[in-house]
Amino acid sequence: MKLFPRLFSRKIEKQISSYQQELIETHYREVENMYRQIRGWRHDYRNHIQTMKAYAASGDWEAICHYLDLLDEDLTTVDTVIKTGNPMTDAILNSKISLARAKGITVQADAHIPVRLTSSEIDLCCILGNLFDNAIEASLALPEEQRLIRVYMDMKNTQLYISFTNFTAGRKLTKMGKRFQTTKGEGHGFGLVRIDAIVEKLDGYISRGSEDGAFTTEILLPQL
């Protein structure tokens, strides 16, 4: 009779493992796309300068102003806004911030990691990626002018502190055990399970808070 629970458990573990691999591949594609855009912009830099010189030579200042506006808008989409001191964290945060802004979501981020982390890049990628994906999904239910995600990361003694807060369209959620009740799809549930599993594996701490119009996740990860 104990065979069925074991088979069910293995099936869930296989699904979570598959979801994790898919998530990591998605994150790396997003990061690579961001850097591809940056490389492309740098490659075109000389052409941009030559174009503006041509406008300047003809005295067409209106065309120069318009061209500068277009460049400013284009550069904003690939601007590296976060420099934490940890390359992998920079990559995942900047790719997600770029994705959020493309969806009309304001992101306020303050992240500093002045020491070398002992947490693996894979684990950090899964945690940050899931937190951002959940926050982006919840934000899209709001009018664009109300969409906001706040991210804060820093060292607290020997622990990495991560805080994500996003505005939501719903009221305070009901807590079921360690997590809040959700009506989201299967992938959303796997994301939460994966975060909890990583935090537990690293002997960390996680706290989730729900209020009317806002949801917050706080995580502490030892870096000994």
Side-chain angles (χ1 to χ4, degrees):
M1 294 297 292
K2 294 182 179 180
L3 178 62
F4 292 104
R6 285 202 300 270
L7 290 175
F8 179 76
S9 178
R10 288 174 185 171
K11 181 180 178 181
I12 293 298
E13 289 176 1
K14 186 176 180 181
Q15 287 177 314
I16 292 176
S17 176
S18 175
Y19 170 73
Q20 174 192 354
Q21 186 60 37
E22 181 182 344
L23 185 71
I24 291 170
E25 291 173 0
T26 298
H27 294 338
Y28 275 116
R29 283 197 300 270
E30 290 171 354
V31 170
E32 176 58 30
N33 180 63
M34 181 187 69
Y35 283 116
R36 188 182 300 114
Q37 288 178 297
I38 293 173
R39 289 193 296 268
W41 206 95
R42 287 176 176 170
H43 177 75
D44 292 337
Y45 177 77
R46 184 179 296 276
N47 292 331
H48 295 318
I49 294 297
Q50 290 174 344
T51 298
M52 287 187 288
K53 280 184 175 180
Y55 285 140
S58 64
D60 193 344
W61 306 114
E62 183 178 348
I64 289 179
C65 289
H66 178 65
Y67 198 77
L68 286 171
D69 286 340
L70 293 176
L71 288 179
D72 183 56
E73 181 180 344
D74 185 52
L75 185 59
T76 298
T77 64
V78 297
D79 189 24
T80 303
V81 294
I82 296 296
K83 294 181 180 179
T84 66
N86 180 271
M88 183 57 192
T89 304
D90 292 350
I92 190 65
L93 285 180
N94 284 305
S95 68
K96 289 299 184 181
I97 288 172
S98 178
L99 178 64
R101 288 178 173 172
K103 295 178 180 293
I105 303 170
T106 298
V107 179
Q108 297 176 352
D110 182 11
H112 308 278
I113 307 176
V115 299
R116 183 176 180 86
L117 299 179
T118 58
S119 301
S120 77
E121 292 186 346
I122 297 277
D123 288 341
L124 202 57
C125 175
C126 285
I127 290 175
L128 296 177
N130 271 300
L131 288 173
F132 241 122
D133 286 345
N134 290 344
I136 289 173
E137 182 181 6
S139 298
L140 293 177
L142 289 165
E144 190 166 325
E145 65 274 10
Q146 296 179 20
R147 297 172 185 173
L148 176 65
I149 298 173
R150 291 196 183 102
V151 181
Y152 179 76
M153 295 178 64
D154 206 345
M155 293 299 299
K156 290 188 179 295
N157 296 320
T158 59
Q159 299 191 88
L160 174 63
Y161 175 71
I162 303 171
S163 173
F164 267 70
T165 298
N166 61 271
F167 289 173
T168 66
R171 298 181 65 82
K172 182 176 180 179
L173 298 176
T174 302
K175 201 164 190 178
M176 302 290 289
K178 293 183 179 180
R179 304 186 192 98
F180 288 92
Q181 193 172 25
T182 177
T183 57
K184 302 299 181 183
E186 189 176 42
H188 182 89
F190 283 158
L192 298 179
V193 170
R194 188 61 194 145
I195 291 174
D196 289 354
I198 293 172
V199 172
E200 182 177 358
K201 179 184 73 172
L202 299 177
D203 293 323
Y205 168 82
I206 184 168
S207 172
R208 296 183 175 96
S210 175
E211 300 295 338
D212 291 351
F215 190 87
T216 298
T217 301
E218 294 180 289
I219 295 174
L220 282 169
L221 299 176
Q223 301 298 313
L224 298 175

